[in-house]
Amino acid sequence: METQVQKVQKVLVHLSRGDAAAQCARFVQSITGHFGGQDETQVGCYLDNNRFILSEGAGQRVPLKRPAFCPFKHLSVTQAAAIPLDVQDRGVDVGVAVILQTANQRVLLTRRAAGLRIFPGLWVHPGGHVELEETLLEAGLRELHEETGLEVEQNDVSPQILGLWESAYPARLSRGAPFRHHIVTFMLLHSPHTHQELQVCLRPDPAEVSVCLWVDRDLARSIVVGGDGEPPAVRVTEVLPDGALRDSLLPGAVLCTRAPAEGPDVERVSTGTKYALGLWLDSLSPPQSSSPGEGSC
């Protein structure tokens, strides 16, 4: 009975294959590997009674990807057994990351605060855990507001799931055994406002966010695929400890830095976020001449 109570304390990933009932995924289990031996596959996904179901066919089919260095891909039986039981009992958590696309086709990235335990100092889309009784959209909008201060009404957006990402922390076994395991849902939201209009409404939480940046398609392409030479510096919004905002310049090379194979991590756009930016670029229609959107936050 105690196990059943624990399972409904948070939304967890459940896996279904064929006609079998969905089972709660184990923390040490490779989720992407469960659906095949490749690093990317297609799965059905949907929320059902506080369970995030991944299946071979049911629900909306979306790409699911993991990095080649995913710890759960390379975890040996011995390494898995050495993970503390309280960590193994966590299950696989569910997160939502919001790709907020403005009327002039920019998306918001934030640099995680240095004091955070998970992925400090990395550039990501705003997001976080899905809470009990929330829809994916509700979770995304709540996290967006908590982290950035931006208030987006559900009726103002048409959510679209672009893909799923299997995330671990630490991200590589060379940095230690993983103690967090997530499936992150990348959700695209179209705002009717330009990034200039939304910028005025930014009120980031300094405990969560240290810098904000509006990324256009050219910068996104440089982040995803790289290129020759060092990208130019980009204008960002720095979040001071008291919550005040300050314009600053960031070397463009920081955003194109790759994850180091060994040693401590560095400031960079997270591998999952680069994947999401690639999905966003693929979703864009050919550029059209149009007037900037008007409105208030």
Side-chain angles (χ1 to χ4, degrees):
M1 187 68 177
E2 291 182 359
T3 301
Q4 293 179 342
V5 172
Q6 290 176 354
K7 285 186 178 180
V8 297
Q9 295 305 304
K10 57 181 180 177
V11 179
L12 294 172
V13 172
H14 286 64
L15 304 177
S16 173
R17 296 188 69 174
D19 296 329
Q23 300 294 320
C24 188
R26 296 176 294 113
F27 178 86
V28 297
Q29 184 174 7
S30 172
I31 305 303
T32 311
H34 177 80
F35 295 100
Q38 305 301 314
D39 290 335
E40 185 168 9
T41 186
Q42 292 274 331
V43 297
C45 67
Y46 60 97
L47 271 174
D48 176 58
N49 194 27
N50 290 316
R51 302 177 304 162
F52 190 55
I53 310 294
L54 299 183
S55 70
E56 293 177 313
Q60 177 186 355
R61 289 186 64 79
V62 296
L64 165 65
K65 187 175 176 64
R66 66 183 175 189
F69 52 79
C70 178
F72 298 102
K73 175 182 176 180
H74 301 285
L75 203 63
S76 69
V77 174
T78 301
Q79 289 170 320
I83 294 176
L85 291 179
D86 62 323
V87 175
Q88 293 194 42
D89 289 342
R90 288 184 55 88
V92 179
D93 294 303
V94 181
V96 174
V98 173
I99 306 172
L100 181 63
Q101 178 181 318
T102 67
N104 55 339
Q105 293 192 334
R106 298 200 181 200
V107 294
L108 180 62
L109 288 186
T110 62
R111 190 178 72 188
R112 289 172 60 80
L116 293 174
R117 189 182 183 201
I118 307 298
F119 297 116
L122 291 196
W123 286 87
V124 298
H125 295 288
H129 288 95
V130 179
E131 296 184 353
L132 292 174
E133 309 303 333
E134 281 187 321
T135 66
L136 294 175
L137 177 58
E138 289 169 345
L141 294 180
R142 173 183 52 77
E143 289 286 350
L144 178 67
H145 176 64
E146 291 175 358
E147 293 185 8
T148 71
L150 294 176
E151 293 192 58
V152 178
E153 297 295 331
Q154 291 192 42
N155 293 335
D156 289 341
V157 293
S158 299
Q160 177 186 357
I161 297 177
L162 294 185
L164 308 175
W165 178 257
E166 184 168 8
S167 173
Y169 190 82
R172 292 177 181 266
L173 284 176
S174 62
R175 299 195 183 108
F179 59 87
R180 288 291 187 272
H181 192 180
H182 291 79
I183 293 297
V184 181
T185 304
F186 288 113
M187 178 176 290
L188 176 63
L189 301 180
H190 294 268
S191 171
H193 309 299
T194 66
H195 78 279
Q196 295 97 333
E197 292 168 337
L198 293 174
Q199 175 71 21
V200 177
C201 303
L202 275 179
R203 299 292 185 273
D205 179 357
E208 298 266 359
V209 174
S210 58
V211 187
C212 296
L213 166 65
W214 296 100
V215 176
D216 62 21
R217 65 166 71 197
D218 290 335
L219 179 55
R221 191 172 294 109
S222 295
I223 293 172
V224 173
V225 303
D228 297 331
E230 184 173 307
V234 294
R235 187 168 299 279
V236 299
T237 301
E238 189 177 353
V239 185
L240 303 181
D242 62 356
L245 304 182
R246 178 173 65 190
D247 287 344
S248 182
L249 288 177
L250 179 78
V254 170
L255 300 173
C256 299
T257 300
R258 302 292 170 177
E262 301 291 340
D265 210 344
V266 297
E267 181 181 351
R268 58 184 175 85
V269 178
S270 77
T271 310
T273 302
K274 289 181 178 179
Y275 167 63
L277 287 172
L279 294 173
W280 174 62
L281 288 172
D282 290 342
S283 75
L284 291 176
S285 58
Q288 298 177 352
S289 175
S290 60
S291 300
E294 297 180 355
S296 59
C297 301

